[in-house]
Amino acid sequence: MAPMLTAILLAHDAPARPLRRDAVARSLASLVEACVQGLIADAVLVGAPGRGLERVADEAGCALIEASDQKEGLAQALAVARQDDALLLLAGYAVERGFVDEVNDAFAYGESGRALVLRAAPSSVVTRFVPSLAEPVGLIARKSALRGAGGAELKTLAKRLRSADLKSGARRTF
């Protein structure tokens, strides 16, 4: 049986792409099946102050960490996460069908303790043929490994933790 995860939704805006609250809510909603199946035990929403995320967090029943710096927000979220393993997911992305089964299988039959990266669903010809070139939008890893890897950029964390790619992806919600 797979360990339970704390989902940490990273809801900081990208300069070229402001994040809408409904995109954050759809990202959280995509994790409901994982909660029902017992994969995700709790959730933490991390975002910049003044973004109106209190209502989203309250309606979703998750904790809210407000920090202007994503790295500091992630550090605070890891400190309050109740599980030893965490799923980091960029707000604005929703996990696709099959995610729960694949993660459960990876924990049951894969290398124990290895970080797993969730990539954006293919959006171009190149990423359809070479899915590993798609942008990392999620990462499953031990909290201690995430703290030790430093930083908050998923691409950097995935590389430092030598993550294995999941076959399932995450589609954009914005």
Side-chain angles (χ1 to χ4, degrees):
M1 183 166 162
M4 294 186 86
L5 307 172
T6 292
I8 299 175
L9 192 66
L10 302 172
H12 280 83
D13 291 323
R17 218 180 322 179
L19 192 58
R20 298 185 339 236
R21 282 192 305 263
D22 62 320
V24 174
R26 283 195 295 267
S27 293
L28 284 166
S30 77
L31 300 174
V32 169
E33 180 187 358
C35 293
V36 171
Q37 297 287 334
L39 180 62
I40 293 178
D42 61 314
V44 180
L45 176 58
V46 179
R51 289 299 317 229
L53 296 174
E54 303 86 2
R55 185 171 173 194
V56 175
D58 184 52
E59 289 177 1
C62 64
L64 175 64
I65 302 288
E66 291 184 313
S68 39
D69 178 58
Q70 185 169 310
K71 183 177 181 178
E72 177 59 31
L74 176 57
Q76 290 179 36
L78 290 170
V80 301
R82 294 187 288 152
Q83 305 303 314
D84 290 331
D85 294 288
L87 161 66
L88 307 182
L89 180 65
L90 293 181
Y93 287 91
V95 298
E96 293 183 327
R97 185 170 296 248
F99 169 76
V100 174
D101 291 334
E102 184 179 3
V103 172
N104 282 330
D105 289 348
F107 279 118
Y109 306 112
E111 294 179 46
S112 178
R114 183 157 188 201
L116 303 169
V117 68
L118 179 69
R119 296 189 178 275
S123 60
S124 69
V125 173
V126 173
T127 56
R128 287 186 203 287
F129 286 111
V130 187
S132 63
L133 295 178
E135 172 187 8
V137 296
L139 181 66
I140 297 172
R142 307 281 299 170
K143 286 190 318 187
S144 57
L146 290 166
R147 283 187 193 109
E153 295 296 321
L154 290 182
K155 185 175 186 176
T156 303
L157 289 170
K159 189 178 220 179
R160 287 181 183 164
L161 297 176
R162 299 175 188 223
S163 304
D165 283 348
L166 291 169
K167 293 201 184 332
S168 54
R171 59 180 163 66
R172 283 187 182 196
T173 63
F174 55 94

